[in-house]
Amino acid sequence: MIEQKVVNPEFLFFTAEKKKLFMTGSEAVREAIRKANVDVAISYPITPQSESMHLVGDLFAEGYVKEYFRGENEFAVMSSVAGAAMAGVRVFTATGGPGTLRAFEVFPTWAGARLPIVCAFMTRGVNSPLTIQPDTIEMAYLLETGILMLHAETAQDLHDMILKAFIVAEKTDVHVPVGVFADGFFVTHTKEALEIPEPDIKLPSYDPNNSPVPPMDMESVPVRQMRDPFVMKSNFISYAAHASWQQEVDAARERSRKYLEKYLGGLLETENEDADVLLVTSGTAVCQSREAMAAARAQGLSVGLVKLKCIRPFPAQEIKALAAKAKAIIVPEFNRVGWLAKEIKSVIDEPGKVIGAPRVYGGMTMPPELILDEIRRVSR
Amino acid sequence: MSEKISIRMSGLGGQGAVTAAHILGAAAYRDSLQVTVNPFFGAEKRLAPAESYVRISREPIFERGEVLYPNIIMIFHPHVITLGKCYTMPFFDGLREGGTILINSGTPLDLTKEDRQSLAERRAKIYYVPATEVAMQVSGTELSTNIAMLGGLYGIRPITTMKALEESMMERFGGGKFVASATTAALDDAVKEKFGKVSQMIEKNMEVVRKAGESLTEYSLS
Amino acid sequence: MNEMSYKVLPGPEGFLPPAAASMGIELPEVGEALVEGGVVSAQQGLEKIVEKLISAKNPVFFPGPLILWNWKDGVAEKAAALKELAEAVGAKIIPMPDYRPKYPMINPAIEVNPNHPNLTIWHNKIDVCVFIGVHCHYANVALKIIRGGTSCYTIAFCGEVGHEDAMISLRGAGLSELKKLTELVKKRKGEVKGD
Amino acid sequence: MYYAARVAEEKCTGCKICIISCPDSNVIAYCETKKVKIDAGRCKGCGLCVSVCPKDALTVSQD
Amino acid sequence: MGKQQITDPHHLLFEAPRVQSFITGSEAVAEAVKRANVDMAIAYPITPQSESMHLVGELFEQGYIRDFYRAENEFAVMAAIHGASLGGGRVFTATSGPGTLRAMEMFPVWAGARQPIVCAFMCRGVSLPPSIQPENIEMGMLLDTGMLMLHAEDGQDFHDMVLAGYAVAEQPEVHLPVGVFVDGFFATHTKDRILLPPADLKLPPYDPRTAPVPTFDMETPPMRITRDPLLNKSNFISGAANASWHQEVLAAAERSRRHLRTYLGGLLEVESPKAKTLIVASGTAVSQSREALRLLQAEGIDAGLIKIKSIRPFPEEELAEATDHADLIVVPEFNAGGWLGREVKAALDRNRRVVSGPRLFGGMSMPPGLIVETIKGAMATKNRSAGGA
Amino acid sequence: MNKPIFQISPGFEEIMPPEYRELVANGPYGKGFGVSDLGSYKELIEEHPLCAGCGLALSIRLALASLPNPGDTVIVGSTGCSSLVFPQVALHNIHSLFGNQNAVASGLKRALKLRFPDKVKDVVVIAGDGATADIGLDMVMQSWFRRENITTIMLDNEAYANTGGQESGMSRQGAVLNMAPTGKKFPKATLPEVAQAAGCAYVAATSPAHPRMLEKAVRKAVLIAREVGPTYIQLFSPCPTNYKFKPQETIPLIKQREKEGIFRNQEYISDEAQRFLDSLEEARKK
């Protein structure tokens, strides 16, 4: 382990000198965690997440992560991570597809307990039929769990978003979990060029005393304290308390917007936003769309791109404004149900403009030509 | 019965507010009235505040959940008001114009000036019935307090026929299948143990109803 | 609905009012304060607090665990400063010793709880209250509930980043702000007497 | 209106077995007189103390 | 146990004389199971589902169902039900809120494996903070699991939908799991007037030989079969096979529409269809909306109601048609996320017409007056902006 | 007062509600109290809402009174009747979900070790039989396999009591309960044996009918968990409400079961744990 200097997050994200590396998404996770000053990481084997958590294990062996173990299943892992976070340390874990669903009950509790956990979701299809291939359907299930959801397009995104996620998650007024989603294989197993800071710097450590809820260590007041008690007596006031608690979790998610703006440079990113046809999507569907856009523009078609970096909170106002100018909106997705198209339809005035296609799943690749076909169809 | 009545019963866990709601509801059903009964449970045990709701009408009833705007409030224990042992507060909020309040107490409670004023403005009527006393006196157990509260209610306004009420009690305590919390089931057993025969118990309960109806006092708000 | 026009005012506001953050209200930056949902300077925030405290019929301070319990360095000084401020205002202090919902009942005359703060506000007829030393999550929940169910004017004295659901909110506030407030109160009261 | 335990002081030897058999905290206390006393307001009247008292010093009755 | 005669679902649901009774929603679901000729039920305690599964346990004791046990957790329950269904039995179970989430991984498995399981979901809040009170956020999380989702308004719906659920689920071209959802407490614990078909009638037994996938009994060819094989080789053909399988699951849900129309009388139901103001709701929010309509009518405001009975498949076309003339659409719901509002908005054009609210959660009741206020508020805003234009 | 977090800020003593003042003046933190001191100090539990005669409530009360260092103990609980007591307990305690208590405790214990390397923070799991032996069994056993330094206490009331009395893995064979309407078909799970096989350094089964035995077991278990490895205690805690016996019969019923040989108190201690206890004893003598 090399000696690491604590630097402020802005320096690490924006100023620190970067070097070029050629690595996979899984390795990019390792490089992020190496600099993230993580206290506890807990893993469970599942494809395609395993490689990254092996590498985080190596970081533990080297001394970059202070505590690490393999839990017995994903539900237990997510529970153990919650226990560690309540004790006041910075934690990291990762899962994917069926593992996400196995642990599902825990995610809303992370948000409700205001735990700033960062979890990477290497998305894959869920059974049945059994598949280990890329598919983003698990994101549809997680939309209302209260966690922040960032969607990486590339290994570079994955690396940067994980580091930034800790800083956003740990803001006192936010302090909710962040899921960083990356399409399995397409990102985790693809080797590409990255630019990342040297490993001799790291983020400042997490300070649980700035938390909006007290750590459970018998060193913090109040002493008489249950996390998180039943606000569920049968009377109006306890229902109202429960409802207000939920509103506060939602409010926390709202408050993250300004930090996401600052660190991600916006919840979305556009290219040729005044074009007639907009490709609006997230994750690796963005990469495919970039190719399709280039091909379409070469043919003289008016095509723009909106890359959604953040799914929760959802950049509804931004999308609404962009959609108002466009003649048609194409939403390519890597899942069977088209959850992103539905999200977009529900926030714009004229959902009729939205074409929820192409949809590719079951591990299939999305040829840019398919998107190009859609562009041609609507440009006619 | 011309209009819809919405009743909110507030008591402490173990006092039988939920059971009273079931008996009243089943009686109304026997009289071919439209009725829904909504007990609410939290993770409560003994002495925690508990509420149940009954809506009765000649028209179909759709809404469910808490009765937020009752025209009858039944208070099974004065602590509900005096010690705030009910978190549906401020307590008389939502009482409809001309509404009725029935309190289990032998003597008038010391209501605040604001409460008296706001109740007077709403032309509310307050009645007291010494329900626990009547229950003890007539049936020898305070477990019949809920029945005495129903007696008080019928004394103010016969919601159903007495026959329907009696049959409803028979159905409730007569060993038929009834979905209740475990604690309620245990209390049921205690009641049954108290009276060897169900018929004897119903007889006593009907007497509790009559006696409670006669023991009402109306309290002047002016 | 134009979200930017949302004002954080005393309630009762509807059956289940939204959290102010969901209505577009943003927290103040360093050197700023929030008054009724709008950003002002920290100094203006302090002055507005003084105005509200002095004109209140029954102002009450709700100190939370972070100041009630002498758990780390610096707390005792803040506690003393808070007492002095309350005395200068002529306000009562009702503690929030912890955050668990108090069932089966709370004594609203002597304590307040974030899950059902309205019981204490109704019981004591509090028209202005000040939260101080309460962990942010519980303060936000309580402030929202109060805005929903009462007409109480809420002020939040926050050591972190502030609270949108309070009518007035300071951020990064500590000992010096408490002392400043006491000074301002004394000065204003002197002026009032002088008239 | 609720049942609560009561102590017959003359029978109580202060052995404390009732205190450590009570499911509710701070209901039965040990006093200076080396006997026990009961907070009737908080006693649920279960009678576990009665069942363990070797001197039959406790009873449960209604107030 | 009385002797039961087999009758067809249509007769049981629509023709057999009904007897009125005054029972809770939990009792109503047990009455449905009694008449559903269920082979096997598996239970796990969770509030507010427990009462109904106690009653189902008693049906086992009385001989109405053939096997029953308590499993160790909800994930195990749903896995065991999966096994029982693979073995060719007609199965029933129920869960709720956190239990639903604990078992989450199994629901897409049921759909992908084409199993006609009927599961009742007594919706409640999910942690945190913990809540046992009514709220239907779990439905928002289950929308894309592949199962059919029916949302009962009251005990009567609950009863009828469980029976209809089997009739639809077991159609060979459908053969998918059906979730019958009901709002906990508001429906499960409310005593209401419910009309029951005779107890001496029951559905015909499930015949696994009509299933679109073979049964696991070593009585059904082929001998060499695994459910469901790993279609996850890393090549184009297995990716395409996997994708096609998913398409078939979606297609099966599409095919259910016809049967849902038969057994539910439509995927949605409209009251006062001509009104320019329409409430769109599902579950007990429909009941609250019915009261709101009365209040509106009393004030001379013309409003109508669309009750959505099937959430999956979602009646996009019917809804678009029924709301085409409307200029205000209000969607009240019992959850914070507003999933129904999102579904409605995504299904319609001219979204500015849609107001997604009021939303109540954490166990709060929905006063009908609140729906009225929402409608009036939206009308006022519209008039103002119309006046300004 | 061994820790500042139990001190009221100067000037606020008067306004604090009486139970807090009492807790500060007369609470058990750092005083080395045990079961025998009950009745003479302000206990960690305020008023709780469990039923009259609840064996589980008595077990919790005795277990908390037996903690060797309540001032540095964090409890992890689970859903069930016991979770209705914990809001009233003057310790940091966590309710997460139903059954995941040992997983939460594993993460918690390791994180506390990281944050406070020079201090002992005891992590104690207290949960019912449904949470321990049914829904959470995998996580309970895995925490033992991993040799986590935590103590697991099961409050065994032989049913799911909080949801209305359903049969659990710890119910006795033949018991007729909700969800087992024709009687339970398989025997009570043998958790003490399982715990021993799974690597617990100390295992005890006892009941509140023997308060001092219970106390000794809890103390040993917590001390051994600090240094040696996981420990497990099973407390037979009958439920009058769901088994429908009179509240005053809770303790007599345990004794009856003992007499009939249906329930027996047992203790297992590993050699290593025994050596550790001996070393503590020797140090104390010195």
mmCIF file of all heavy atoms in Angstrom, chain A residues 153-184:
data_model
loop_
_atom_site.group_PDB
_atom_site.id
_atom_site.type_symbol
_atom_site.label_atom_id
_atom_site.label_comp_id
_atom_site.label_asym_id
_atom_site.label_seq_id
_atom_site.Cartn_x
_atom_site.Cartn_y
_atom_site.Cartn_z
ATOM 1 N N GLU A 153 -22.326 5.369 -18.011
ATOM 2 C CA GLU A 153 -22.278 4.972 -19.426
ATOM 3 C C GLU A 153 -21.029 4.127 -19.692
ATOM 4 O O GLU A 153 -21.050 3.195 -20.494
ATOM 5 C CB GLU A 153 -22.232 6.238 -20.306
ATOM 6 C CG GLU A 153 -22.114 5.955 -21.800
ATOM 7 C CD GLU A 153 -21.821 7.218 -22.619
ATOM 8 O OE1 GLU A 153 -21.842 8.327 -22.054
ATOM 9 O OE2 GLU A 153 -21.565 7.079 -23.824
ATOM 10 N N THR A 154 -19.956 4.482 -19.006
ATOM 11 C CA THR A 154 -18.650 3.876 -19.290
ATOM 12 C C THR A 154 -17.937 3.533 -17.981
ATOM 13 O O THR A 154 -18.396 3.900 -16.902
ATOM 14 C CB THR A 154 -17.762 4.881 -20.029
ATOM 15 O OG1 THR A 154 -17.662 6.042 -19.187
ATOM 16 C CG2 THR A 154 -18.339 5.292 -21.360
ATOM 17 N N ALA A 155 -16.804 2.889 -18.108
ATOM 18 C CA ALA A 155 -15.986 2.605 -16.930
ATOM 19 C C ALA A 155 -15.513 3.910 -16.286
ATOM 20 O O ALA A 155 -15.398 4.011 -15.066
ATOM 21 C CB ALA A 155 -14.784 1.743 -17.324
ATOM 22 N N GLN A 156 -15.260 4.905 -17.113
ATOM 23 C CA GLN A 156 -14.857 6.207 -16.587
ATOM 24 C C GLN A 156 -15.958 6.769 -15.685
ATOM 25 O O GLN A 156 -15.709 7.212 -14.567
ATOM 26 C CB GLN A 156 -14.599 7.187 -17.751
ATOM 27 C CG GLN A 156 -14.159 8.577 -17.307
ATOM 28 C CD GLN A 156 -12.694 8.597 -16.882
ATOM 29 O OE1 GLN A 156 -11.832 8.118 -17.609
ATOM 30 N NE2 GLN A 156 -12.422 9.108 -15.698
ATOM 31 N N ASP A 157 -17.194 6.734 -16.186
ATOM 32 C CA ASP A 157 -18.350 7.167 -15.390
ATOM 33 C C ASP A 157 -18.412 6.385 -14.079
ATOM 34 O O ASP A 157 -18.633 6.947 -13.012
ATOM 35 C CB ASP A 157 -19.659 6.874 -16.143
ATOM 36 C CG ASP A 157 -20.115 8.063 -16.979
ATOM 37 O OD1 ASP A 157 -19.404 9.083 -16.998
ATOM 38 O OD2 ASP A 157 -21.190 7.946 -17.609
ATOM 39 N N LEU A 158 -18.263 5.076 -14.200
ATOM 40 C CA LEU A 158 -18.396 4.208 -13.030
ATOM 41 C C LEU A 158 -17.375 4.623 -11.970
ATOM 42 O O LEU A 158 -17.716 4.790 -10.793
ATOM 43 C CB LEU A 158 -18.187 2.748 -13.464
ATOM 44 C CG LEU A 158 -18.340 1.663 -12.406
ATOM 45 C CD1 LEU A 158 -19.701 1.746 -11.720
ATOM 46 C CD2 LEU A 158 -18.174 0.270 -13.033
ATOM 47 N N HIS A 159 -16.154 4.819 -12.377
ATOM 48 C CA HIS A 159 -15.097 5.243 -11.469
ATOM 49 C C HIS A 159 -15.445 6.588 -10.828
ATOM 50 O O HIS A 159 -15.449 6.744 -9.602
ATOM 51 C CB HIS A 159 -13.775 5.351 -12.244
ATOM 52 C CG HIS A 159 -12.656 5.972 -11.473
ATOM 53 N ND1 HIS A 159 -12.453 7.342 -11.417
ATOM 54 C CD2 HIS A 159 -11.685 5.426 -10.692
ATOM 55 C CE1 HIS A 159 -11.409 7.608 -10.647
ATOM 56 N NE2 HIS A 159 -10.928 6.456 -10.201
ATOM 57 N N ASP A 160 -15.779 7.557 -11.664
ATOM 58 C CA ASP A 160 -16.025 8.909 -11.160
ATOM 59 C C ASP A 160 -17.275 8.951 -10.288
ATOM 60 O O ASP A 160 -17.301 9.600 -9.246
ATOM 61 C CB ASP A 160 -16.189 9.889 -12.326
ATOM 62 C CG ASP A 160 -14.907 9.991 -13.167
ATOM 63 O OD1 ASP A 160 -13.882 9.411 -12.748
ATOM 64 O OD2 ASP A 160 -14.950 10.645 -14.226
ATOM 65 N N MET A 161 -18.317 8.271 -10.734
ATOM 66 C CA MET A 161 -19.597 8.333 -10.011
ATOM 67 C C MET A 161 -19.486 7.701 -8.627
ATOM 68 O O MET A 161 -20.103 8.162 -7.684
ATOM 69 C CB MET A 161 -20.706 7.656 -10.823
ATOM 70 C CG MET A 161 -21.250 8.528 -11.948
ATOM 71 S SD MET A 161 -22.449 7.606 -12.940
ATOM 72 C CE MET A 161 -23.106 8.910 -14.002
ATOM 73 N N ILE A 162 -18.709 6.626 -8.509
ATOM 74 C CA ILE A 162 -18.575 5.986 -7.195
ATOM 75 C C ILE A 162 -17.926 6.962 -6.216
ATOM 76 O O ILE A 162 -18.407 7.166 -5.100
ATOM 77 C CB ILE A 162 -17.766 4.675 -7.294
ATOM 78 C CG1 ILE A 162 -18.625 3.589 -7.953
ATOM 79 C CG2 ILE A 162 -17.304 4.207 -5.910
ATOM 80 C CD1 ILE A 162 -17.890 2.294 -8.233
ATOM 81 N N LEU A 163 -16.855 7.595 -6.636
ATOM 82 C CA LEU A 163 -16.172 8.546 -5.739
ATOM 83 C C LEU A 163 -17.090 9.717 -5.385
ATOM 84 O O LEU A 163 -17.207 10.110 -4.222
ATOM 85 C CB LEU A 163 -14.897 9.062 -6.415
ATOM 86 C CG LEU A 163 -13.723 8.075 -6.341
ATOM 87 C CD1 LEU A 163 -12.645 8.464 -7.341
ATOM 88 C CD2 LEU A 163 -13.150 8.024 -4.927
ATOM 89 N N LYS A 164 -17.762 10.251 -6.380
ATOM 90 C CA LYS A 164 -18.648 11.387 -6.143
ATOM 91 C C LYS A 164 -19.850 10.974 -5.291
ATOM 92 O O LYS A 164 -20.354 11.761 -4.489
ATOM 93 C CB LYS A 164 -19.098 11.984 -7.481
ATOM 94 C CG LYS A 164 -17.943 12.689 -8.191
ATOM 95 C CD LYS A 164 -18.253 13.044 -9.626
ATOM 96 C CE LYS A 164 -17.034 13.750 -10.259
ATOM 97 N NZ LYS A 164 -17.225 14.007 -11.686
ATOM 98 N N ALA A 165 -20.265 9.722 -5.493
ATOM 99 C CA ALA A 165 -21.436 9.232 -4.751
ATOM 100 C C ALA A 165 -21.202 9.315 -3.243
ATOM 101 O O ALA A 165 -22.099 9.700 -2.491
ATOM 102 C CB ALA A 165 -21.747 7.793 -5.156
ATOM 103 N N PHE A 166 -19.994 8.967 -2.800
ATOM 104 C CA PHE A 166 -19.734 9.037 -1.354
ATOM 105 C C PHE A 166 -19.920 10.462 -0.844
ATOM 106 O O PHE A 166 -20.519 10.684 0.205
ATOM 107 C CB PHE A 166 -18.304 8.563 -1.040
ATOM 108 C CG PHE A 166 -18.142 7.070 -1.091
ATOM 109 C CD1 PHE A 166 -17.450 6.451 -2.115
ATOM 110 C CD2 PHE A 166 -18.707 6.283 -0.085
ATOM 111 C CE1 PHE A 166 -17.306 5.073 -2.144
ATOM 112 C CE2 PHE A 166 -18.558 4.897 -0.113
ATOM 113 C CZ PHE A 166 -17.862 4.290 -1.151
ATOM 114 N N ILE A 167 -19.413 11.403 -1.609
ATOM 115 C CA ILE A 167 -19.450 12.793 -1.146
ATOM 116 C C ILE A 167 -20.881 13.328 -1.137
ATOM 117 O O ILE A 167 -21.306 13.991 -0.189
ATOM 118 C CB ILE A 167 -18.520 13.662 -2.033
ATOM 119 C CG1 ILE A 167 -17.089 13.143 -1.902
ATOM 120 C CG2 ILE A 167 -18.601 15.126 -1.646
ATOM 121 C CD1 ILE A 167 -16.575 13.011 -0.466
ATOM 122 N N VAL A 168 -21.660 12.991 -2.160
ATOM 123 C CA VAL A 168 -23.062 13.439 -2.185
ATOM 124 C C VAL A 168 -23.855 12.726 -1.096
ATOM 125 O O VAL A 168 -24.609 13.345 -0.345
ATOM 126 C CB VAL A 168 -23.694 13.179 -3.572
ATOM 127 C CG1 VAL A 168 -25.184 13.520 -3.555
ATOM 128 C CG2 VAL A 168 -22.971 13.982 -4.645
ATOM 129 N N ALA A 169 -23.643 11.420 -0.978
ATOM 130 C CA ALA A 169 -24.412 10.633 -0.007
ATOM 131 C C ALA A 169 -24.186 11.134 1.405
ATOM 132 O O ALA A 169 -25.089 11.103 2.233
ATOM 133 C CB ALA A 169 -24.011 9.161 -0.099
ATOM 134 N N GLU A 170 -22.983 11.611 1.695
ATOM 135 C CA GLU A 170 -22.641 11.949 3.073
ATOM 136 C C GLU A 170 -22.942 13.399 3.443
ATOM 137 O O GLU A 170 -22.704 13.809 4.582
ATOM 138 C CB GLU A 170 -21.164 11.628 3.324
ATOM 139 C CG GLU A 170 -20.899 10.121 3.325
ATOM 140 C CD GLU A 170 -19.419 9.775 3.249
ATOM 141 O OE1 GLU A 170 -18.572 10.693 3.343
ATOM 142 O OE2 GLU A 170 -19.112 8.575 3.077
ATOM 143 N N LYS A 171 -23.466 14.182 2.506
ATOM 144 C CA LYS A 171 -23.876 15.543 2.863
ATOM 145 C C LYS A 171 -24.965 15.451 3.930
ATOM 146 O O LYS A 171 -25.902 14.646 3.789
ATOM 147 C CB LYS A 171 -24.434 16.278 1.632
ATOM 148 C CG LYS A 171 -23.421 16.501 0.531
ATOM 149 C CD LYS A 171 -22.439 17.600 0.901
ATOM 150 C CE LYS A 171 -21.418 17.789 -0.202
ATOM 151 N NZ LYS A 171 -20.300 18.648 0.219
ATOM 152 N N THR A 172 -24.865 16.274 4.945
ATOM 153 C CA THR A 172 -25.827 16.201 6.049
ATOM 154 C C THR A 172 -27.271 16.285 5.563
ATOM 155 O O THR A 172 -28.133 15.551 6.030
ATOM 156 C CB THR A 172 -25.575 17.355 7.034
ATOM 157 O OG1 THR A 172 -24.213 17.308 7.426
ATOM 158 C CG2 THR A 172 -26.467 17.231 8.251
ATOM 159 N N ASP A 173 -27.509 17.189 4.624
ATOM 160 C CA ASP A 173 -28.902 17.382 4.194
ATOM 161 C C ASP A 173 -29.365 16.323 3.205
ATOM 162 O O ASP A 173 -30.536 16.263 2.871
ATOM 163 C CB ASP A 173 -29.098 18.792 3.615
ATOM 164 C CG ASP A 173 -28.044 19.168 2.582
ATOM 165 O OD1 ASP A 173 -26.947 18.581 2.609
ATOM 166 O OD2 ASP A 173 -28.310 20.047 1.749
ATOM 167 N N VAL A 174 -28.445 15.500 2.716
ATOM 168 C CA VAL A 174 -28.827 14.399 1.810
ATOM 169 C C VAL A 174 -28.830 13.104 2.643
ATOM 170 O O VAL A 174 -29.859 12.609 3.044
ATOM 171 C CB VAL A 174 -27.862 14.288 0.613
ATOM 172 C CG1 VAL A 174 -28.269 13.123 -0.278
ATOM 173 C CG2 VAL A 174 -27.846 15.590 -0.174
ATOM 174 N N HIS A 175 -27.653 12.572 2.874
ATOM 175 C CA HIS A 175 -27.482 11.422 3.760
ATOM 176 C C HIS A 175 -28.475 10.300 3.481
ATOM 177 O O HIS A 175 -29.200 9.825 4.364
ATOM 178 C CB HIS A 175 -27.567 11.864 5.220
ATOM 179 C CG HIS A 175 -26.440 11.284 6.057
ATOM 180 N ND1 HIS A 175 -26.548 10.085 6.689
ATOM 181 C CD2 HIS A 175 -25.194 11.736 6.329
ATOM 182 C CE1 HIS A 175 -25.418 9.836 7.332
ATOM 183 N NE2 HIS A 175 -24.579 10.812 7.127
ATOM 184 N N VAL A 176 -28.518 9.896 2.239
ATOM 185 C CA VAL A 176 -29.285 8.709 1.842
ATOM 186 C C VAL A 176 -28.355 7.872 0.959
ATOM 187 O O VAL A 176 -27.350 8.376 0.456
ATOM 188 C CB VAL A 176 -30.580 9.062 1.074
ATOM 189 C CG1 VAL A 176 -31.624 9.641 2.008
ATOM 190 C CG2 VAL A 176 -30.315 10.000 -0.082
ATOM 191 N N PRO A 177 -28.674 6.613 0.767
ATOM 192 C CA PRO A 177 -27.800 5.753 -0.032
ATOM 193 C C PRO A 177 -27.777 6.151 -1.504
ATOM 194 O O PRO A 177 -28.740 6.713 -2.015
ATOM 195 C CB PRO A 177 -28.429 4.369 0.133
ATOM 196 C CG PRO A 177 -29.819 4.613 0.579
ATOM 197 C CD PRO A 177 -29.814 5.893 1.331
ATOM 198 N N VAL A 178 -26.663 5.829 -2.150
ATOM 199 C CA VAL A 178 -26.557 6.062 -3.589
ATOM 200 C C VAL A 178 -26.247 4.738 -4.276
ATOM 201 O O VAL A 178 -25.316 4.031 -3.885
ATOM 202 C CB VAL A 178 -25.438 7.072 -3.922
ATOM 203 C CG1 VAL A 178 -25.369 7.299 -5.431
ATOM 204 C CG2 VAL A 178 -25.659 8.402 -3.216
ATOM 205 N N GLY A 179 -27.032 4.424 -5.259
ATOM 206 C CA GLY A 179 -26.738 3.268 -6.105
ATOM 207 C C GLY A 179 -26.071 3.768 -7.374
ATOM 208 O O GLY A 179 -26.596 4.664 -8.030
ATOM 209 N N VAL A 180 -24.903 3.210 -7.682
ATOM 210 C CA VAL A 180 -24.266 3.542 -8.958
ATOM 211 C C VAL A 180 -24.476 2.337 -9.865
ATOM 212 O O VAL A 180 -23.993 1.240 -9.574
ATOM 213 C CB VAL A 180 -22.770 3.848 -8.780
ATOM 214 C CG1 VAL A 180 -22.149 4.182 -10.133
ATOM 215 C CG2 VAL A 180 -22.568 4.999 -7.801
ATOM 216 N N PHE A 181 -25.228 2.537 -10.919
ATOM 217 C CA PHE A 181 -25.605 1.434 -11.802
ATOM 218 C C PHE A 181 -24.721 1.408 -13.042
ATOM 219 O O PHE A 181 -24.460 2.453 -13.631
ATOM 220 C CB PHE A 181 -27.078 1.572 -12.226
ATOM 221 C CG PHE A 181 -28.023 1.403 -11.066
ATOM 222 C CD1 PHE A 181 -28.205 2.436 -10.157
ATOM 223 C CD2 PHE A 181 -28.702 0.216 -10.871
ATOM 224 C CE1 PHE A 181 -29.055 2.285 -9.061
ATOM 225 C CE2 PHE A 181 -29.552 0.057 -9.781
ATOM 226 C CZ PHE A 181 -29.724 1.087 -8.878
ATOM 227 N N ALA A 182 -24.245 0.227 -13.371
ATOM 228 C CA ALA A 182 -23.477 0.073 -14.597
ATOM 229 C C ALA A 182 -23.955 -1.210 -15.263
ATOM 230 O O ALA A 182 -24.164 -2.223 -14.590
ATOM 231 C CB ALA A 182 -21.994 -0.031 -14.282
ATOM 232 N N ASP A 183 -24.152 -1.158 -16.555
ATOM 233 C CA ASP A 183 -24.655 -2.336 -17.263
ATOM 234 C C ASP A 183 -23.583 -3.419 -17.241
ATOM 235 O O ASP A 183 -22.454 -3.200 -17.691
ATOM 236 C CB ASP A 183 -25.022 -1.966 -18.709
ATOM 237 C CG ASP A 183 -26.070 -0.846 -18.750
ATOM 238 O OD1 ASP A 183 -26.580 -0.475 -17.672
ATOM 239 O OD2 ASP A 183 -26.361 -0.339 -19.846
ATOM 240 N N GLY A 184 -23.945 -4.563 -16.692
ATOM 241 C CA GLY A 184 -22.997 -5.650 -16.548
ATOM 242 C C GLY A 184 -22.360 -6.012 -17.898
ATOM 243 O O GLY A 184 -22.961 -5.811 -18.950
#
